[in-house]
Amino acid sequence: MSEENNINEQNLEQVEYNDDNIRHLSDMEHVRTRPGMYIGRLGDGSLPEDGIYVLLKEVIDNSIDEFKMHAGDRIEINIEDNLRVSVRDYGRGIPQGKLIEAVSVLNTGGKYDSKAFKKSVGLNGVGVKAVNALSTHFEVASYRDGKVRRATFERGILQTDTTEDSQDENGTYIYFEPDSTLFKEYSFHDDIVENMLRNYTYLNTGLAIMYNGRRILSRHGLEDLLKDRMTNDPLYPIIHLKGDDIEVAFTHANQYGEEYYSFVNGQHTTQGGTHQSAFKEHIAKTIKEFFGKYEYGDIRTGIVAAIAINVEEPVFESQTKIKLGSTQMSPDGDSINKYVGDFIKQQVDNYLHIHQDVAEVIENKIKESERERKAMAGVTKLARERAKKANLHNRKLRDCRIHLSDVKNERKEESCIFITEGDSASGSITKSRDVNTQAVFSLRGKPLNSFGLTKKVVYENEEFNLLQAALDIEEGLDTLRYNKVIVATDADVDGMHIRLLIITFFLQFFPELIKKGHVYVLQTPLFRVRNKRTKIRNKEMRDDGKKGDFVTRYCYSEEERVKAIQDLSPDPEITRFKGLGEISPEEFAGFIGPDIRLEQVTLHKNDQVQKLLEYYMGKNTMERQNFIIDNLVIEEDRPEEEAYE
């Protein structure tokens, strides 16, 4: 027996396992101990998937379900100081006799009874209980028939419970303040909240949401959604079709790729699922049968579409409900594939026969896609072979173990890939990354400016070809391997230029990657300020513990640098990080760990992306040069004592 095995056996013998090791956690304790099981990631509110938005969604979902049952057509939402939330609906109100259980006992709720909530999002009796458990202060009030029962909680523990007369309208009021010991330095971001609320109104026409005094309303459902989200003009008027439990809207635009928005019972399924797959299959099949020719890929190129369905007892892949796993519309009903297929076949085929002018525009778009595909058929085949061979011995890609496609892996949404410039930067990240969830792709020099070029360049350019292969997005986002695509370049002029070239590539050929919120920019510190002769004045200061008594502050902006100098004077030592490769792997581990700072790249209709790209990436070199000269600002020299190391 080896020495190692002997040591392991000795360690096992020393571990006691008795009755004291067996614990029972209350419902609220369990949620607080394992919050990831209930709301996914915690986060600070800077990203749409952060936990505070899941808490908000869980509360609003209950109000939406009331609206779906024709009880209450308005919801009032207020967020005070970006920290504290109140939601008031005018539905039936939670039955007062079970109010406490409804907000504090898991697996308790009214949605198990399909007669009351036939097509609800929240079916597991978990949602609002998690909000209660993960809030420092939680308050619920149920207004029913001249009475109001009100209860308050702190971190899930009941504090007060009162009932009194009330003249207020029936409905439910919930107030919560997320626990800042769990959601560290959190803040609700107005744009993320408003986007969430607009999705609710697109799916519930006639519902009015008052958000901090602003009225959000949709009169045309998914048609409004596409009009608000499209960044290119539609080639023909949006086709908008409705059935009993299904609504679809679609058009084509002059853009690459496919763009989909899908929903189930009002829940935005950002990663699609069985309903979205069914739509993609049958929209292509129906159009192909209408024209009697063409390939599915050519038919769907440039399509922008939204689908919403209502399903009894939907099954999602996780508590965060971002991908539908159900195959049936109801326990004893049609399959989702058949239901969606029958609807698309009848409605779209009828529409195209009636609107021959639209059919002609669609066919012209298909022919254009077909011509481009055939024109680059040879180079595409060769590029795929090169990428396949490169992947066998790919030094550009240091892959991770867990990918977005790993359906059953709880950490799949943590999967990410860093796109770096050069070997030194990729080396620092590679040595300090989490090999389970963090991959690294190394660029060689500056990539090509792809603005105005056809997709043929993707296959002809080795860097882009291998990047596309690494992400596995040639056929769309269904096969995307990483949830986050993180551009990690130096914080200098060259780094910013490379960042712009990469984002231009995505905007040009894979805009949905950005629209679906997968692209980020890594924020790394510009300065390290430290001093070993000062006492700590601020608890936020970090001592690296490895360099004597140094007190270290990492600064991501000029303002943070100035504050650090003030806090750490006298004699601060200031290091300006000029490149990622200059940051040691030990330090880098702190910047890409749990406290990673990411800035999401967003794309909205009002961004005027085409005009921006034409100006900054087009061939108007002299115009840009004159702009720079006219707007050049020369900073005054810094005082000598503030000079960088």
Side-chain angles (χ1 to χ4, degrees):
M1 183 180 293
S2 69
E3 181 179 349
E4 182 181 350
N5 287 337
N6 279 326
I7 293 173
N8 287 337
E9 284 197 2
Q10 292 172 10
N11 289 338
L12 287 173
E13 291 173 0
Q14 294 172 359
V15 176
E16 292 187 5
Y17 181 57
N18 52 42
D19 290 350
D20 295 334
N21 298 113
I22 307 299
R23 294 181 59 203
H24 171 74
L25 298 178
S26 70
D27 288 348
M28 297 293 97
E29 286 177 319
H30 193 270
V31 177
R32 290 185 61 80
T33 304
R34 297 284 186 269
M37 290 179 58
Y38 298 92
I39 65 166
R41 58 174 282 134
L42 293 174
D44 62 1
S46 57
L47 303 177
E49 65 265 30
D50 284 349
I52 59 171
Y53 301 112
V54 178
L55 301 185
L56 176 59
K57 186 186 75 66
E58 294 291 0
V59 174
I60 296 174
D61 281 348
N62 292 332
S63 299
I64 295 295
D65 288 334
E66 287 294 299
F67 173 80
K68 286 181 175 293
M69 298 300 293
H70 308 291
D73 60 0
R74 73 185 192 278
I75 302 171
E76 297 166 359
I77 300 168
N78 289 285
I79 301 182
E80 181 184 352
D81 298 328
N82 298 320
L83 299 173
R84 295 171 288 278
V85 179
S86 65
V87 178
R88 171 69 154 101
D89 69 40
Y90 295 87
R92 294 165 293 182
I94 300 172
Q96 293 178 349
K98 293 290 185 178
L99 181 66
I100 304 300
E101 292 91 333
V103 300
S104 63
V105 180
L106 295 183
N107 307 315
T108 303
K111 299 173 188 177
Y112 298 108
D113 181 2
S114 61
K115 293 178 181 178
F117 293 93
K118 289 187 176 181
K119 299 179 176 71
S120 170
V121 173
L123 290 171
N124 300 320
V126 172
V128 77
K129 290 83 168 175
V131 182
N132 186 356
L134 301 176
S135 297
T136 51
H137 183 78
F138 177 91
E139 181 179 337
V140 59
S142 172
Y143 299 87
R144 285 175 71 106
D145 305 324
K147 296 283 186 181
V148 56
R149 184 178 181 185
R150 190 184 308 274
T152 63
F153 297 77
E154 291 182 2
R155 294 181 171 90
I157 299 173
L158 180 64
Q159 303 295 311
T160 64
D161 178 11
T162 61
T163 301
E164 58 189 20
D165 293 335
S166 173
Q167 298 302 312
D168 286 0
E169 292 182 61
N170 286 1
T172 300
Y173 169 88
I174 286 180
Y175 169 95
F176 69 94
E177 184 175 346
D179 190 341
S180 60
T181 64
L182 298 172
F183 307 95
K184 298 186 183 300
E185 298 182 0
Y186 77 88
S187 175
F188 285 94
H189 288 229
D190 187 75
D191 57 334
I192 295 177
V193 174
E194 184 166 334
N195 184 62
M196 178 195 303
L197 300 183
R198 288 197 181 280
N199 281 341
Y200 280 117
T201 60
Y202 295 138
L203 300 164
N204 299 278
T205 53
L207 171 67
I209 295 181
M210 295 298 297
Y211 169 48
N212 284 352
R214 303 197 301 271
R215 188 166 182 257
I216 302 174
L217 179 72
S218 171
R219 301 193 183 280
H220 304 290
L222 295 185
E223 182 179 347
D224 287 340
L225 183 150
L226 291 193
K227 286 179 178 178
D228 289 345
R229 299 292 170 81
M230 290 183 67
T231 54
N232 292 294
D233 294 333
L235 296 179
Y236 51 89
I238 294 170
I239 298 174
H240 187 201
L241 306 167
K242 285 186 177 183
D244 290 339
D245 285 310
I246 185 171
E247 178 182 358
V248 301
F250 70 93
T251 185
H252 282 78
N254 278 323
Q255 63 185 45
Y256 288 101
E258 305 167 32
E259 187 175 333
Y260 299 100
Y261 302 90
S262 62
F263 303 84
V264 175
N265 297 7
Q267 167 64 32
H268 188 190
T269 43
T270 55
Q271 291 184 14
T274 51
H275 58 319
Q276 182 172 303
S277 298
F279 175 83
K280 290 177 62 176
E281 174 189 344
H282 291 289
I283 193 69
K285 184 178 181 180
T286 299
I287 293 176
K288 179 177 181 176
E289 290 177 354
F290 178 82
F291 292 116
K293 53 185 175 180
Y294 303 124
E295 293 190 7
Y296 284 1
D298 297 329
I299 292 170
R300 292 200 301 250
T301 295
I303 195 170
V304 185
I307 175 172
I309 64 171
N310 293 319
V311 176
E312 284 191 33
E313 301 181 14
V315 176
F316 298 94
E317 288 193 358
S318 68
Q319 175 62 17
T320 52
K321 307 182 182 88
I322 57 176
K323 188 172 185 178
L324 180 66
S326 298
T327 57
Q328 304 294 123
M329 289 294 292
S330 63
D332 56 352
D334 288 342
S335 72
I336 288 175
N337 188 281
K338 182 179 186 304
Y339 183 84
V340 173
D342 289 348
F343 177 81
I344 295 296
K345 168 64 178 174
Q346 180 182 20
Q347 297 296 322
V348 175
D349 186 71
N350 287 347
Y351 187 95
L352 294 178
H353 275 96
I354 295 170
H355 300 85
Q356 291 290 328
D357 55 335
V358 172
E360 183 179 348
V361 176
I362 292 176
E363 185 169 27
N364 288 337
K365 172 60 178 173
I366 296 171
K367 288 179 178 178
E368 179 185 316
S369 301
E370 183 183 58
R371 283 193 299 270
E372 184 172 346
R373 174 180 57 80
K374 289 180 177 179
M376 63 182 190
V379 69
T380 301
K381 182 178 180 182
L382 181 62
R384 285 173 179 164
E385 291 173 355
R386 281 206 317 267
K388 188 175 181 180
K389 289 178 182 178
N391 282 335
L392 295 176
H393 309 284
N394 195 350
R395 296 183 61 187
K396 298 179 71 63
L397 174 65
R398 281 85 164 180
D399 208 356
C400 54
R401 297 188 180 117
I402 299 171
H403 301 105
L404 191 58
S405 57
D406 298 338
V407 176
K408 296 183 180 179
N409 197 301
E410 293 181 357
R411 299 187 65 191
K412 66 176 184 175
E413 289 176 40
E414 297 177 38
S415 62
C416 65
I417 183 170
F418 294 96
I419 303 175
T420 66
E421 49 170 320
D423 294 334
S424 58
S426 64
S428 292
I429 295 182
T430 299
K431 291 175 183 176
S432 55
R433 67 180 174 134
D434 179 347
V435 296
N436 289 306
T437 60
Q438 295 178 325
V440 183
F441 183 90
S442 178
L443 291 169
R444 184 181 60 196
K446 289 187 179 180
L448 180 71
N449 179 3
S450 59
F451 177 69
L453 303 178
T454 66
K455 200 170 185 180
K456 185 179 179 183
V457 71
V458 178
Y459 299 99
E460 292 178 330
N461 182 277
E462 183 177 9
E463 298 290 302
F464 287 156
N465 183 36
L466 293 179
L467 177 57
Q468 173 185 263
L471 299 178
D472 197 10
I473 54 176
E474 181 183 6
E475 301 298 331
L477 296 195
D478 287 350
T479 52
L480 178 64
R481 302 182 78 227
Y482 312 96
N483 191 34
K484 290 186 176 67
V485 180
I486 303 171
V487 182
T489 59
D490 292 342
D492 57 15
V493 174
D494 282 339
M496 294 290 283
H497 189 203
I498 292 172
R499 180 189 303 178
L500 183 57
L501 290 168
I502 295 171
I503 293 174
T504 298
F505 166 68
F506 289 141
L507 286 171
Q508 184 78 359
F509 302 113
F510 304 102
E512 193 184 9
L513 194 66
I514 292 177
K515 288 186 178 181
K516 288 300 181 71
H518 292 290
V519 181
Y520 298 82
V521 172
L522 175 67
Q523 300 296 308
T524 52
L526 298 174
F527 309 97
R528 180 182 62 210
V529 181
R530 62 184 182 181
N531 192 318
K532 66 179 179 180
R533 289 191 292 274
T534 188
K535 293 181 180 180
I536 298 179
R537 300 178 186 173
N538 188 320
K539 292 182 180 179
E540 294 180 357
M541 296 180 190
R542 292 175 49 187
D543 187 344
D544 58 18
K546 297 180 180 179
K547 303 183 186 311
D549 297 321
F550 278 119
V551 175
T552 304
R553 289 277 289 274
Y554 294 100
C555 308
Y556 290 77
S557 67
E558 178 67 19
E559 291 73 21
E560 290 185 18
R561 182 191 73 87
V562 172
K563 187 175 187 306
I565 291 172
Q566 294 171 348
D567 290 341
L568 296 179
S569 59
D571 294 333
E573 175 188 285
I574 307 168
T575 299
R576 171 69 160 94
F577 293 122
K578 298 178 182 178
L580 303 185
E582 294 183 348
I583 304 176
S584 68
E586 291 76 16
E587 286 182 298
F588 220 117
F591 309 139
I592 62 172
D595 296 326
I596 188 171
R597 291 197 191 187
L598 297 175
E599 182 179 352
Q600 190 173 39
V601 180
T602 59
L603 180 59
H604 304 291
K605 183 174 183 177
N606 295 331
D607 290 338
Q608 296 184 311
V609 174
Q610 279 303 115
K611 289 184 178 179
L612 285 172
L613 287 176
E614 286 173 7
Y615 183 82
Y616 289 105
M617 307 304 292
K619 297 181 179 181
N620 55 327
T621 309
M622 287 305 300
E623 186 179 356
R624 289 198 302 271
Q625 180 177 312
N626 292 333
F627 175 84
I628 293 170
I629 293 172
D630 293 340
N631 293 274
L632 184 64
V633 176
I634 301 176
E635 291 189 21
E636 296 181 2
D637 293 337
R638 299 183 186 279
E640 187 175 339
E641 62 269 21
E642 291 189 13
Y644 305 146
E645 182 189 66

